[in-house]
Every structure is written in C-alpha cells, then in structure tokens.
Amino acid sequence: MTTMTNPAPDTFTTGSAERRATADRAARRWRHARRALGAVAALAAIALPALTGPYLITLAATAIVLALLAMSTQLLAVAGLPSFGQTTYLGIGAYTAALLAAAGITNGPALLAAAAGTAALAAAVLAPFVLRTRGVTFLMVTVMIQGLAVAVAVHWTSVTGGDEGRHTPAVTLWPGDPLTSTPVIYWYTLTAFAAVGVGTAWLMRSRLVLLLRAHAGHEPRMTALGHRATLELGAGYAAAAAISGAGGALLITINTYVSPADISFGVAAAGFAAAALGTALAGFPTMTGALVAAVAIVVVRDWAGSDGTGPLLLGLLLLTVPYLRPAVLRLRARRVNRPGAAA
Amino acid sequence: MSTVLLHLDEISRRYGAVTALHPLSLTIPTGARHAIIGPNGAGKTTLLHLIAGTLAPTEGRIVLNSRPITRLSPAARADLGVGRTFQHPAVVDQLTVADNVALAIRRRLTFAVHQRAGHRALRAARVAAALQQVGLTGEAATLAGQLPYGRRRLLEIAVVLAARPRLLLLDEPSAGLDPAEISHLTAVIRALPAEVTVVLVDHHLPLVFDLADTITVLASGQHVATGGSEQIRNDALVRDAYFADTTPATTRAPRKGARPTVLDIEQLSAGYHGAPVLDQVDLTVSAGTVHALLGLNGAGKSTLINVVAGLHPARAGTRILLDGTDLRASRTARHRVALVPQGRRLWTALTVSEHLAMAAAAGRRFGAGDGPGRDVADILDMLPVLRNKLRRYPAQMSGGEQQMLAIARALLLRPRLLLLDEPSEGLAPQIIDQLTTVITGVANDGVAVLLAEQNQRFARAVADQISVLDSGHIEFTATTAVLARPDAQARLAELLGVSTAGTVA
C-alpha cells in the first residue's frame, strides 16, 4: 500500500443515529415500566392491610425498618464507604425514642425527629475517628462499632434495660390517642417512611451527594480543589445516621419494645446485604435498589422461609442476583450491538 | 517590579534512601509563566507535589504570598489559591463533565433561599464558561469516564481554571493532546489573567518555549539551570542534560521483500453505549513492520488498539485475524499479542523486578515454540533506565520510567504483535529517541507493531506505514516516504488540524 487512498464516505452517521435512537427508545420503555411498577408497588403497600392479616402487615412494617437501614448504608456506599455499623444509629434512634416515650413524650413525629437528630449528632461526634479510614479498614472499623453498640446496649442496663430490653407505651399521633391497631400502626409507619423517602430523594439530588460521589471517585482531586474530606464525608455520615435513627423510632412505633437483639450482627448483616444487593441490581448504589432489596430479603427470609429455610433462601438470593446480572447485561448489549438493531 | 508569589527555600524530598529532589531554592513572582523541564526522573512532579502539599518536604520551607505554607494541607493550600493538575488526568469518572467542573466552584455556607438560587445560577454560568474556555461545551452531559484521554485532560484543566487559582500548577498538560488541542491549550493558558501565576511541567518544548518567560531545568533531582528561554536553549549543561539531537528524525527506509501479514483487521466496528466510535475499519500489519495510527483525540485510535487487545468488544461483523486465525479476545496472551496501554496500568504492589519476572514467565509459557527469545537481561540492556530501579515500586518511579517498564513488560511476553497506545506520552526527548531505537529493533526481529501516537515526529521515525483515523474510519494509509510528499503533508495537516512542523518535540 504505497499510494494514498480515500475511502468512499460510508453510512457512519446514519448507523450512529439509528443505534442511538434504539438505545433511547429502550431507555424510555424501561423508564415507563419502572414508573408503572413503582405505582403498583405503592398502591399494594397502601392497600396491604385490606388484603392480608396482621402477621404479614407486621412483616411489611419490619421491611420498612430494614429498608431505612439499607438506605442509610447505601448513602455511605455512594460516598465509597462500606459501612456495617448503621445499626448503631438505628439503636441510638430506638433507645432515644424509647426513653422519650417512657418520659411521657409519645408523639410519633416528635419521636421520629428526636431519634433522627440524636443519631445524626452521635454520628457527627464519631465521624472524625471513623473517617480516618477508607475501604476495607473503614468496613472493619464499622464492624467494631456495631459490636461496641451491642455491648453498650447489653451492659448499660440503667438506660437500655440490658438484655431484657425496654418496653415503651404506644406511640400517639394526638394526645391521649395511642396507635394500637396493627393497620393504623402500619399506615403511620408507611407515611413516615414516605416522608423520609422524600427527604432522601431530595438529598440524593443535592450538592452534598454530588460531593460524596466525587470523594468516592477521586479524593486527591477533591482535596486539590480545597474540599475537606472529613467535613464533607462527615456530613454524609451524619445524614446516613439520621435515616437509620428514623428507622429506630419506627421500630419503637411497631414493636413498643427495643432490645440489643434489634441491633444484632444479624440485623446489621441484613442491612448491609440489602445495600449490596441493591447495588448489584443497578450496577451502582441506588436508593431504589436498596429499598427493593430490603423488601426482597424480608419476603425471602421471613415469609417464604418461615419454615426454617429462610437463611438458605436468603443465601440463594444473594448469590443469584450478582451472578445473573452480568449475563443479563451481556444479552442487552448484544441486542443493542446487533447490526440492524434499529429495524 | 512584581511581587513574589511563591518562594521555595532549600526544599528537598527523600523517599527512604532515594533522593528525588535535592535542596532547591526558587522565587517565582506574581504573574510569572515558569516552566520546569528535565529528563524523566528529574524530580519535576515531586516538586509540584511539594508545592501543592500532596507531599511534605523532607527539609526546607515554602512561602506563598509571604505566608509559610509548608505545614498546610493540600485543601488549605487550595483555599489560598493553589490549583493543580495531575500527571494523569484527575477527574471523577462517574460524574458528568459539567458536574466535575461544578465541584471546583465552592461557596460559603448560606441558608437564605434567594441567595442559594443566585448561587445555583452563578455556578451554572461559571461551569458553562469554563467548559467553553477549553472547548468541551458539547460534552457537558457526558460522563467524564467516557471521554477520550486527551479530552479528560482538557476537562481537568477546565476544572482547575473554574476554581480561579492564583497559582496554577500544570503537570504535563500537553501529554496525550493532539496538535490542534495543544495549540488550543496554549491559547487558553496565554489568555489567563496576568495576575495568575503558572508553573508548568512539560516535555513539549515548543509549548514550553512559547509560554514560559522563565525556565528551570532539573536533572536527577538536582537544579541544573534557571533562566530565560534563550539562555536555557543555549546553555551547554542543559543541552547535555536534556535536549535530544535536534536534527529532524529520519524516516525509516522501507523494508524490502514480501512479508507475511500478521494482523488482518476486516470491517472493525466498535463503540460505547450505542454510540459508534469505529466504523468498518480495515487494516493490516505485516511481520517486521511498524504501522502507526495518527488522528485527533476521539478519532478512535485507543478504541482500535483496545479492540485488538481484547479489552473492548467489537460489534458483530468484525473480523480480526492473527496469522490467518481468528483472534479471540480471551486468549490474546496465548496468541502473543502484547499491549503497552495508555496510562501504563502497572501493578502498584509489584516491584520492577517482579513485573519483569511475571512477564518473563508468561513469555516462556506462551512463546516456548520460538526458541530462547529475549530474557530479562536483554530487556535491561535495551532499556538501561530500569537497571538500577529493580527494587522500586511504580509509585516510586517517574512517569517516563513507568512507561519504560510497561514497554519492558510487553516485550518480555515475546509478542508476535506488539500494540502500543501513545508510547511517547510523558517522555523526555532523549528517551523518545531511545524508544525509537527500541521499537525499530523489535520490528527488525520480525515482530509486527501497531502503535497509536500523537507525536508525529516519533511516529514517522519508527513507522513503515501510517494510517490517519478520522471520525471512526481510516482517512488514508501511506508509507512514510509517500507522506513526505507535499500533497500528503497538506492532507495530513488538514486532518490533524495543524502543520506538521508544530509537532516537532
């Protein structure tokens, strides 16, 4: 080939536009499907007490608490921080609500705000120590914090009631009107969850989460721009603790009881697994993924596996999703890359 | 008389027993355009790290605007107006181009709603201005990780400029940029306000001489000279330490005789997320020849190399044949296709000698049929710069030394096909000449070489054939002899955006 050749113009632009249009259409369809699914799920959640009995309703309320724990873990995953210790803040929220309720403050929203606030405050105090580490070391530190929180809950009997736990009066919405019927407790929990969800959705679009993602992506770049990692990640850590703390208040609302078992290793593992599974579903940490995974975990572990097969089914779920996802993606990529895919 | 912005007082840096930078004093006035040049391993990047605060000096003092900053963190120095780029573009891949720039625009905490709304509008305007400054407006919504390498570098510059630094530290800003982008970059830096001080490390000497009013030359961690560009050009010591032979590189004599085709690419198409990058590209590389790919950033050079290396999937209809058999992406090592990737991709936890041992083992395993081949000793003869660094980790070596290691690793695989993605990036002129010798030697041993390059002088010195990629297809292929013809020169200049003379470095 010693001469210059000028190949004829090809169909580059046409092919490109068609492929992009196909990808756009697929994305639009997926968006619509997701919205429809979300609406159906929301309606089903609202109508649940009319469709089923108290056992399943209580289970659904438990799923909501686990979902908040998972979302709290997920917010830190967005910041590149794998946390196993969010049950600590769930516990701080729950014991705060329990102590306040015992002292006569039983108003639900007030307990929710106090639990979230105290958890956030505790996280802000711990943040400078915890955030000296990253990655696996961070994970190990949070495992330690989870263990320490259980130890404190067991041994500080004057406040926590030790292993026996603390019973609390029923939560009220109006003075003198305690929530005792299972459906009403469930609807209140669902409403509170929706409120926290709206707050979290706002947070996910905020500047803070942009900064958290950027720290996760390239911390030296952030530092070189003058961003303080401990301060900004600390704000994220406190926000995540607030979500967990709100879960603690709802735990009190549902059970009118809290004990160290509510913040045990098993609960922490379920919350962490829900966040990890949620990430595996979407390929990156999303709140919707964490929520769906938390519900899936409760369905598989406590409902389908109520005969004792729960751990086995949960194990299968946790293995299947991450293994199947690459295969599903490959199939989708093959469809988009196929010549004439637009046809 | 301009005021002093930055004063370095006998700063030095040691890594264990290795001295990366011997005590150095420098005074840089406000508004200066100060370049730091020197061979690979001279301590240039270390110096920038010391100024930016990512490394603490072993000894010495740093004063910014009459204020000692030696003990301040990088973030605190950024607050005082220090902005910097890194040797490899430091952008957040997971965020969009616009979001990356938005990170640079910080604000004081404010809770008043109307003020916040004002902030948002202000930030959006500054993001748009910064992107326009470097020519990335059209890619505002693209994820930074999906940008071609050179565009990522421009993005990083946009990010740093958006922070409005008083002292701008640029670490090899032109590496990986195509000629048109380099001219653009020169214009951007020249258009900076006069009160912004620029400290620039680069190997692209036309850029350095074009921009800098003062130049400091370092070699092996020692200060060689500081002076105006004329003075530096004529300094005998500097010439010895750094400048390569300035006679134009000779183009290779065409190799005689028929040579078997090693790599045969037919109808190669590939893309990212539905957007095509390469469209039905045909290309062949014969045994013992060097085929160079030129083209602007984003033309598809790296994608082509990565598809052949099996790192990026090709679209249906693509055929890649190696010695007549289908090259399977999962078995490139078995087929003895070796890659020197852009960004080097060395193993951070392995020393140089461990890198070499690992590659030599793979070479022995897959290349056993071909006789003894090159061993580690031969490679160290070929790339002597690695010889006294065998126990170092990549992080303890300069960018250029890392590049040499990546090349050594590839050669030890005893490749039949050697792929190099911008091998000359970040290399000092002298080392580029060495690299020319190395690649020519490899080709003379019968290896087929395919390389992507921005440095035309280097490409023409090593290549038998040059293909120019433009918007995903090969615009033309020619031998270097044909490329020397004026009509070919004009066509090349038109495709690459500048005259070829501008790229001599």
Side-chain angles (χ1 to χ4, degrees), chain A residues 1-13 15-21 23 202 206-229 231-232 333-334 336-339, chain B residues 74-76 78-79 82-86 89-92 94-95 99 102-107 116 123 156 159-160 163 273-279 284 315-316 465 471-479 482 485 487-488 491:
Chain A
M1 235 187 295
T2 51
T3 53
M4 286 174 62
T5 49
N6 266 315
D10 54 24
T11 54
F12 191 80
T13 330
S16 150
E18 276 172 10
R19 276 207 196 96
R20 207 165 293 154
W202 170 82
S206 70
R207 171 94 175 157
L208 176 63
V209 166
L210 180 72
L211 297 180
L212 297 184
R213 292 171 63 201
H215 278 290
H218 208 305
E219 200 166 316
R221 164 43 67 214
M222 291 299 278
T223 321
L225 286 174
H227 291 276
R228 265 66 172 181
L231 199 68
E232 289 168 2
R334 208 167 288 169
V336 175
N337 278 343
R338 203 174 51 201
Chain B
D79 283 350
V82 179
R84 57 108 31 123
T85 67
F86 290 76
V91 293
V92 185
Q94 300 85 344
L95 300 183
D99 278 348
L103 295 173
I105 302 159
R106 292 159 59 217
R107 58 167 181 195
R116 293 172 60 116
R123 184 183 288 135
E156 193 191 19
V159 169
V160 177
H273 305 281
V277 171
L278 291 170
D279 197 50
T284 57
R315 291 230 161 93
Q465 279 192 67
S471 312
H473 59 263
I474 290 190
E475 201 51 45
F476 69 79
T477 295
T479 61
V482 172
R485 291 196 329 230
D487 58 331
R491 182 92 179 97

Side-chain angles (χ1 to χ4, degrees), chain A:
Chain A
M1 235 187 295
T2 51
T3 53
M4 286 174 62
T5 49
N6 266 315
D10 54 24
T11 54
F12 191 80
T13 330
T14 337
S16 150
E18 276 172 10
R19 276 207 196 96
R20 207 165 293 154
T22 318
D24 281 353
R25 261 202 304 278
R28 220 175 15 248
R29 266 205 302 274
W30 173 229
R31 215 168 30 240
H32 288 319
R34 235 173 16 187
R35 261 189 214 144
L37 273 176
V40 170
L43 281 177
I46 293 167
L48 195 70
L51 305 171
T52 175
Y55 172 66
L56 278 187
I57 300 172
T58 312
L59 216 53
T62 317
I64 289 177
V65 175
L66 182 63
L68 288 173
L69 184 63
M71 284 161 64
S72 165
T73 310
Q74 198 74 316
L75 181 57
L76 291 176
V78 166
L81 300 168
S83 174
F84 195 84
Q86 295 313 98
T87 42
T88 307
Y89 304 107
L90 184 89
I92 290 174
Y95 282 110
T96 302
L99 289 171
L100 286 176
I105 303 169
T106 51
N107 180 272
L111 291 183
L112 196 69
T118 315
L121 202 65
V125 172
L126 281 179
F129 305 99
V130 183
L131 292 172
R132 294 184 74 87
T133 58
R134 299 283 186 275
V136 176
T137 322
F138 178 85
L139 179 64
M140 295 317 291
V141 168
T142 57
V143 169
M144 302 269 289
I145 286 180
Q146 184 274 332
L148 280 175
V150 174
V152 169
V154 169
H155 294 292
W156 198 8
T157 38
S158 58
V159 172
T160 62
D163 274 328
E164 302 295 310
R166 276 197 90 102
H167 287 275
T168 67
V171 166
T172 56
L173 274 184
W174 290 274
D177 185 17
L179 306 180
T180 46
S181 111
T182 309
V184 175
I185 291 173
Y186 169 75
W187 276 320
Y188 166 70
T189 309
L190 192 64
T191 311
F193 173 72
V196 177
V198 169
T200 311
W202 170 82
L203 186 68
M204 292 304 283
R205 285 175 178 75
S206 70
R207 171 94 175 157
L208 176 63
V209 166
L210 180 72
L211 297 180
L212 297 184
R213 292 171 63 201
H215 278 290
H218 208 305
E219 200 166 316
R221 164 43 67 214
M222 291 299 278
T223 321
L225 286 174
H227 291 276
R228 265 66 172 181
T230 306
L231 199 68
E232 289 168 2
L233 291 175
Y237 191 66
I243 298 175
S244 242
L250 295 184
L251 189 73
I252 291 294
T253 309
I254 300 160
N255 295 343
T256 60
Y257 172 71
V258 58
S259 78
D262 290 316
I263 57 169
S264 67
F265 192 86
V267 177
F272 190 79
L277 195 59
T279 304
L281 278 172
F284 52 93
T286 64
M287 285 298 164
T288 321
L291 169 61
V292 171
V295 173
I297 284 176
V298 170
V299 167
V300 166
R301 185 190 61 183
D302 302 335
W303 182 66
S306 57
D307 54 355
T309 54
L312 175 72
L313 293 178
L314 181 59
L316 282 176
L317 176 74
L318 292 178
L319 282 176
T320 321
V321 172
Y323 274 95
L324 278 185
R325 191 184 138 73
V328 171
L329 284 185
R330 262 203 304 279
L331 279 177
R332 273 186 56 186
R334 208 167 288 169
R335 271 188 52 194
V336 175
N337 278 343
R338 203 174 51 201

Side-chain angles (χ1 to χ4, degrees), chain B residues 180-493:
Chain B
E181 286 166 341
I182 292 179
S183 327
H184 186 66
L185 174 73
T186 314
V188 168
I189 297 176
R190 198 172 284 135
L192 288 174
E195 66 273 17
V196 174
T197 309
V198 180
V199 176
L200 167 88
V201 167
D202 213 293
H203 287 303
H204 191 79
L205 295 179
L207 175 84
V208 168
F209 287 128
D210 203 2
L211 283 175
D213 41 39
T214 318
I215 299 174
T216 294
V217 185
L218 299 178
S220 311
Q222 309 257 20
H223 180 256
V224 177
T226 294
S229 53
E230 268 315 303
Q231 189 189 340
I232 292 296
R233 251 191 244 257
N234 300 324
D235 189 310
L237 263 177
V238 174
R239 257 205 312 271
D240 287 349
Y242 187 46
F243 295 135
D245 182 13
T246 45
T247 53
T250 47
T251 54
R252 287 189 61 181
R255 289 152 199 283
K256 301 277 183 264
R259 293 174 172 275
T261 299
V262 173
L263 177 71
D264 188 3
I265 298 174
E266 293 170 11
Q267 304 276 306
L268 187 155
S269 301
Y272 298 90
H273 305 281
V277 171
L278 291 170
D279 197 50
Q280 303 185 356
V281 169
D282 294 332
L283 186 129
T284 57
V285 188
S286 304
T289 65
V290 179
H291 196 134
L293 294 168
L294 293 176
L296 298 178
N297 270 316
K301 302 186 301 296
S302 291
T303 307
L304 196 152
I305 297 265
N306 285 336
V307 168
V308 177
L311 297 176
H312 187 80
R315 291 230 161 93
T318 300
R319 287 198 76 191
I320 302 174
L321 300 172
L322 193 77
D323 286 338
T325 54
D326 267 316
L327 177 62
R328 277 169 53 193
S330 56
R331 321 197 94 198
T332 47
R334 205 169 289 269
H335 289 301
R336 288 168 43 220
V337 176
L339 168 71
V340 178
Q342 198 164 34
R344 294 133 199 177
R345 299 202 203 141
L346 298 172
W347 295 300
T348 49
L350 298 190
T351 62
V352 169
S353 68
E354 284 162 345
H355 272 87
L356 299 181
M358 190 95 139
R364 277 195 298 275
R365 186 169 158 216
F366 298 120
D370 275 12
R374 281 197 192 82
D375 61 11
V376 173
D378 299 333
I379 295 295
L380 291 178
D381 286 342
M382 213 178 210
L383 301 165
V385 62
L386 297 175
R387 192 181 290 283
N388 56 3
K389 304 206 159 59
L390 289 173
R391 305 184 67 163
R392 299 244 185 119
Y393 290 94
Q396 297 169 318
M397 303 204 301
S398 74
E401 290 160 357
Q402 292 180 19
Q403 187 68 285
M404 287 298 169
L405 178 56
I407 292 168
R409 179 177 63 180
L411 291 181
L412 280 168
L413 288 170
R414 303 189 189 175
R416 280 191 293 177
L417 172 65
L418 177 64
L419 305 167
L420 302 113
D421 196 353
E422 301 211 15
S424 78
E425 187 196 323
L427 296 187
Q430 262 183 352
I431 307 282
I432 292 185
D433 282 3
Q434 277 181 32
L435 186 65
T436 310
T437 317
V438 168
I439 292 177
T440 311
V442 170
N444 287 341
D445 288 353
V447 177
V449 181
L450 176 63
L451 60 89
E453 252 310 320
Q454 291 291 0
N455 186 334
Q456 277 187 50
R457 179 178 180 270
F458 169 68
R460 292 168 68 177
V462 293
D464 300 282
Q465 279 192 67
I466 289 183
S467 291
V468 180
L469 268 175
D470 187 36
S471 312
H473 59 263
I474 290 190
E475 201 51 45
F476 69 79
T477 295
T479 61
T480 37
V482 172
L483 266 186
R485 291 196 329 230
D487 58 331
Q489 285 284 324
R491 182 92 179 97
L492 200 60

Side-chain angles (χ1 to χ4, degrees), chain B residues 87-129:
Chain B
Q87 202 168 27
H88 287 288
V91 293
V92 185
D93 289 352
Q94 300 85 344
L95 300 183
T96 63
V97 165
D99 278 348
N100 264 286
V101 179
L103 295 173
I105 302 159
R106 292 159 59 217
R107 58 167 181 195
R108 304 269 169 262
L109 278 177
T110 165
F111 293 101
V113 173
H114 65 276
Q115 270 181 323
R116 293 172 60 116
H119 260 299
R120 263 198 293 275
L122 205 65
R123 184 183 288 135
R126 277 179 62 185
V127 168

